[in-house]
Amino acid sequence: MPSATIKIYLPHGDPKRLRTGEISNWSGKAVAGPRTELDQLLKREEAGNVGVYLLTGVDPLSGGPAVYIGEAESIQSRLKQHVDKDFWNQAVYFTSKDENLTKSHIRYLEGRLIELAKLAGRASLTNSQATTSKLPESDRADMEIFLEKIEQLLPALGVEVLVPIAALPESKEEARLLFCEISGLKASGHLTPNGIVVLAQSQAVSSLRPSAKDYPWVISAREQLLKDGVLASAEGHLVFTKNHEFSSPSAAAAVIHGGTANGRTAWKDASGKTLKQLESV
């Protein structure tokens, strides 16, 4: 993505409350806030415009992140209809300051946002079905630029549902391949801004170590990964069926080792240097 200057405005001074977001030389604008301030979100002038929106929260069945993506000719009217949905606790919507978005535009954006959210795999989609819209070539190009700005702005507002889990490394540190080995099994991965991605086909022990009893989160994390199909049984061990991002190297190492582990020493590069040694350079 191109470089950008993002302006976040906090009306109450609190980054967790109502906030707006803009990017220099972009006609779009974002408004975000918690469900507890829905009335303030709806009172804003922008809420009466055409736009797209995302409702984020927790899936009550899996306990993981969930998102609803929609479009509306009046954001205000549509968000009122979602009060009966229990899962969401944050809302963010995007409109155009020059009022040039049409119904066809926002249907196109909605479809593309749903597509990107599915590809990212960070949250379960609660949408039943996406709308579709055919646009002239020039309009599609304009909406792809609008979409790119949405992708840049969302993480700055605390919403990462469009960020690919296995995004291409963007720095020397992220690009370095790391390895975590135990009992003849080997896992590989690389650092990310959010933690570390363990790559598909990486191996993990099938049995838990005694230390797991003192840290139940390791047990629940492995059980959830097995339930979600991220981990699968192989011949005498477990294997990652797809790339999976962990919040820290230690969390990843603990799942791989079947018990608590120090990720700074468990992960090493091809020459055998630990992550701790690499970071001390």
Side-chain angles (χ1 to χ4, degrees):
M1 289 187 182
S3 58
T5 298
I6 293 176
K7 178 181 178 181
I8 304 293
Y9 175 60
L10 311 175
H12 305 294
D14 186 341
K16 294 295 184 180
R17 297 183 64 187
L18 178 67
R19 52 207 184 275
T20 67
E22 299 177 71
I23 296 178
S24 296
N25 301 316
W26 180 49
S27 63
K29 185 174 184 178
V31 180
R35 184 175 183 141
T36 53
E37 295 186 358
L38 180 61
D39 59 335
Q40 295 186 46
L41 288 170
L42 300 183
K43 286 179 181 178
R44 293 190 63 89
E45 182 180 353
E46 300 92 343
N49 295 340
V50 172
V52 291
Y53 61 92
L54 296 88
L55 306 177
T56 60
V58 178
D59 186 327
L61 297 178
S62 68
V67 62
Y68 181 96
I69 297 172
E71 52 83 16
E73 292 185 81
S74 170
I75 295 292
Q76 184 182 72
S77 298
R78 187 60 59 83
L79 288 187
K80 287 181 180 179
Q81 298 174 13
H82 291 307
V83 175
D84 60 340
K85 289 182 171 62
D86 293 332
F87 83 93
W88 68 275
N89 51 41
Q90 293 284 332
V92 55
Y93 58 84
F94 293 85
T95 64
S96 175
K97 291 180 286 188
D98 59 17
E99 299 183 355
N100 279 337
L101 288 179
T102 67
K103 182 67 173 179
S104 295
H105 289 150
I106 59 175
R107 282 185 170 180
Y108 178 85
L109 287 173
E110 180 198 41
R112 290 286 287 120
L113 285 169
I114 290 174
E115 180 183 333
L116 291 175
K118 287 180 178 179
L119 288 173
R122 285 187 179 273
S124 59
L125 275 162
T126 64
N127 294 54
S128 57
Q129 186 175 359
T131 56
T132 57
S133 176
K134 291 184 178 181
L135 292 175
E137 184 178 6
S138 60
D139 283 30
R140 287 201 306 272
D142 288 342
M143 288 305 98
E144 285 297 321
I145 293 174
F146 199 95
L147 182 67
E148 183 180 75
K149 301 304 182 184
I150 290 177
E151 290 183 84
Q152 284 185 310
L153 196 48
L154 273 176
L157 293 170
V159 180
E160 298 192 348
V161 296
L162 301 185
V163 180
I165 288 179
L168 293 175
E170 296 184 2
S171 69
K172 180 180 178 181
E173 289 72 21
E174 293 174 25
R176 181 187 294 117
L177 201 59
L178 299 173
F179 305 94
C180 182
E181 300 184 49
I182 181 173
S183 303
L185 303 175
K186 190 173 185 178
S188 59
H190 64 80
L191 298 176
T192 72
N194 290 326
I196 187 170
V197 165
V198 176
L199 301 177
Q201 302 307 312
S202 291
Q203 299 171 318
V205 298
S206 58
S207 58
L208 293 166
R209 294 161 63 182
S211 63
K213 296 179 181 179
D214 298 324
Y215 299 90
W217 69 266
V218 177
I219 301 175
S220 60
R222 283 166 59 96
E223 289 177 347
Q224 188 62 52
L225 291 173
L226 284 165
K227 181 180 178 180
D228 294 341
V230 177
L231 278 177
S233 297
E235 296 182 2
H237 63 276
L238 300 177
V239 63
F240 283 80
T241 62
K242 57 184 177 181
N243 298 343
H244 184 76
E245 185 175 57
F246 289 88
S247 60
S248 71
S250 291
V255 168
I256 294 166
H257 286 195
T260 55
N262 184 341
R264 301 297 166 186
T265 55
W267 287 96
K268 302 176 182 179
D269 69 2
S271 66
K273 287 186 177 180
T274 65
L275 182 55
K276 181 178 181 180
Q277 292 173 317
L278 294 169
E279 291 182 335
S280 64
V281 175

